[in-house]
Amino acid sequence: MTQFNKGDRVQYQGQDNQKHTGEIRRIQGEPPQARYTVRDEKTQAEEQVEEQKIERSL
């Protein structure tokens, strides 16, 4: 079972190594290799994020 679920608001480390907040849109794979598609709240861009890059639920 994944630690995070579709629709969760999370804080994560983006590809630019900065903290971002966004909503999980899709989940691919199983933990600990799960990858999440997260839509950034500010830019509305979607990004693939590895589970270990998600810092916490908001």
Side-chain angles (χ1 to χ4, degrees):
M1 188 171 156
T2 58
Q3 180 180 353
F4 304 102
N5 299 305
K6 183 177 176 180
D8 285 355
R9 233 177 120 236
V10 295
Q11 181 178 41
Y12 66 97
Q13 183 178 359
Q15 293 176 356
D16 59 1
N17 292 323
Q18 300 294 317
K19 289 185 181 182
H20 297 268
T21 55
E23 178 184 338
I24 294 176
R25 307 290 286 187
R26 285 188 296 277
I27 303 169
Q28 298 170 309
E30 295 293 324
Q33 294 87 17
R35 294 184 62 81
Y36 299 84
T37 301
V38 180
R39 177 176 283 173
D40 187 282
E41 288 182 352
K42 289 183 182 178
T43 66
Q44 299 301 306
E46 291 188 352
E47 182 174 346
Q48 290 289 319
V49 180
E50 297 173 356
E51 185 163 354
Q52 61 267 23
K53 299 265 184 173
I54 298 177
E55 297 178 359
R56 64 188 177 110
S57 290
L58 299 175

